[in-house]
Amino acid sequence: MLGFITRPPHRFLSLLCPGLRIPRLSVLCAQPRPRAMAISSSSCELPLVAVCQVTSTPDKQQNFKTCAELVREAARLGACLAFLPEAFDFIARDPAETLRLSEPLGGKLLEEYSQLARECGLWLSLGGFHERGQDWEQTQKIYNCHVLLNSKGAVVATYRKTHLCDVEIPGQGPMCESNSTMPGPSLESPVSTPAGKIGLAVCYDIRFPELSLALAQAGAEILTYPSAFGSVTGPAHWEVLLRARAIETQCYIVAAAQCGRHHEKRASYGHSMVVDPWGTVVARCSEGPGLCLARIDLNYLRQLRQHLPVFQHRRPDLYGNLGHPLS
């Protein structure tokens, strides 16, 4: 079953900025094999992105099969870029299994995704690959690596998660990502794609606005937070954090999420979504694995930034330059 949502004009924004055009966007929430889709002709020239929601397990080949099915469906529906969540490759039962299942970027699994990108002719945001880096032999730890592939299957950017999730949330169970993972050493400059300039982040990074501000000041128009939020933090913080990052950076936010029970030790919240620069949720996945689609209107983004020029009004003389622009 397909659910269509039409975003109405924002009355308050129209009052504040009478000259600002508010686009009416049709967005789609779909299960893995929808049969049909209707898109209004007025929006067909805008780039379409797909946000994939999955339930990864320790079975890497089954996970790839599920992701590939969604990516092919996204391509069929006309998306130019598909986003997969953190740990799209697998979610293991313990740190030892995580390390055993990990691969280098040049391994078999990334080659399969490169072939998939070429086959479908679209870009892929692989939101959190368990990467054995060049220092694997010395550290015996991995990186949580966000990989961006172009439509020819080439790696155009990699970002290694800089903020590791070492937390103990009552009712959700402890998580110590640093047991198996090294923090990344740097941010990645925004990358030009058919949908706009994308800034890469991963899950827990969303709690650090300095990162999103740095990416926005470096030219990002879309920020992406592939995630695997838990059952306690998800309902409490997921949507509000995504909307906050969108409003303060005046960027589109694309958040592909893990959902459901991965195994006996772990479950994820889901609720993948796209948020526009005004902070409105314009697309959202339904329960379970599936995808949602949204169009990216960069003219709308530029008009909003022109009418609300918050980055011109910052006062680093008072509070320092939070989120230093990338060099």
Side-chain angles (χ1 to χ4, degrees):
M1 179 181 293
L2 302 183
F4 294 89
I5 305 169
T6 301
R7 195 184 80 195
H10 300 297
R11 294 179 181 177
F12 295 118
L13 184 55
S14 298
L15 289 172
L16 287 170
C17 312
L20 181 60
R21 179 179 65 85
I22 309 297
R24 292 177 66 87
L25 299 182
S26 295
V27 300
L28 169 72
C29 298
Q31 293 304 315
R33 287 188 178 276
R35 295 180 180 178
M37 175 183 180
I39 301 176
S40 62
S41 59
S42 61
S43 66
C44 283
E45 69 276 6
L46 299 175
L48 187 69
V49 300
V51 186
C52 301
Q53 182 166 281
V54 301
T55 306
S56 292
T57 71
D59 187 338
K60 292 165 67 174
Q61 281 307 304
Q62 182 59 47
N63 296 337
F64 174 75
K65 181 180 178 181
T66 300
C67 290
E69 181 180 354
L70 290 172
V71 169
R72 292 187 179 105
E73 190 60 39
R76 189 185 72 81
L77 293 170
C80 65
L81 200 156
F83 295 82
L84 293 174
E86 180 183 33
F88 67 94
D89 50 353
F90 64 87
I91 290 183
R93 296 177 180 85
D94 54 53
E97 187 175 44
T98 295
L99 295 174
R100 180 175 61 80
L101 293 174
S102 64
E103 296 184 19
L105 287 179
K108 176 184 176 183
L109 188 61
L110 256 292
E111 177 54 33
E112 289 181 313
Y113 277 97
S114 293
Q115 292 176 6
L116 181 65
R118 290 193 296 271
E119 171 198 327
C120 295
L122 82 173
W123 288 55
L124 291 179
S125 163
L126 306 178
F129 174 71
H130 296 86
E131 178 207 3
R132 292 188 183 186
Q134 295 182 351
D135 55 0
W136 164 253
E137 295 296 334
Q138 292 75 38
T139 66
Q140 292 295 293
K141 289 189 176 185
I142 60 173
Y143 292 96
N144 190 339
C145 185
H146 189 158
V147 183
L148 188 64
L149 303 178
N150 65 18
S151 57
K152 296 181 180 179
V155 175
V156 295
T158 55
Y159 161 72
R160 293 164 179 88
K161 185 178 180 182
T162 49
H163 302 98
L164 300 184
C165 189
D166 290 358
V167 300
E168 292 190 24
I169 307 295
Q172 188 170 288
M175 174 171 288
C176 191
E177 192 173 13
S178 64
N179 281 344
S180 60
T181 306
M182 297 283 289
S186 62
L187 304 185
E188 177 72 17
S189 295
V191 180
S192 294
T193 77
K197 293 191 73 173
I198 291 183
L200 304 179
V202 179
C203 198
Y204 192 56
D205 287 333
I206 198 173
R207 295 185 181 275
F208 302 89
E210 298 89 347
L211 185 152
S212 61
L213 291 171
L215 291 172
Q217 291 178 84
E221 298 161 322
I222 303 166
L223 300 178
T224 180
Y225 289 98
S227 297
F229 259 56
S231 57
V232 175
T233 55
H237 298 160
W238 173 243
E239 182 175 326
V240 72
L241 283 170
L242 294 172
R243 296 179 68 189
R245 297 295 85 84
I247 293 166
E248 71 195 6
T249 62
Q250 298 178 321
C251 287
Y252 280 91
I253 303 293
V254 179
Q258 292 280 345
C259 68
R261 181 153 295 280
H262 310 288
H263 45 69
E264 65 277 6
K265 295 182 178 180
R266 188 168 172 186
S268 293
Y269 176 62
H271 294 76
S272 303
M273 66 182 70
V274 180
V275 184
D276 75 8
W278 183 249
T280 300
V281 177
V282 296
R284 187 196 303 268
C285 281
S286 55
E287 296 296 323
L291 59 83
C292 64
L293 300 169
R295 293 199 178 273
I296 304 297
D297 189 340
L298 295 182
N299 286 331
Y300 168 59
L301 177 148
R302 293 174 189 126
Q303 289 179 58
L304 177 58
R305 290 180 175 183
Q306 179 181 354
H307 287 283
L308 285 171
V310 293
F311 280 96
Q312 297 178 30
H313 299 156
R314 297 186 68 80
R315 291 291 306 274
D317 58 310
L318 299 181
Y319 44 70
N321 193 3
L322 301 176
H324 294 277
L326 303 181
S327 57

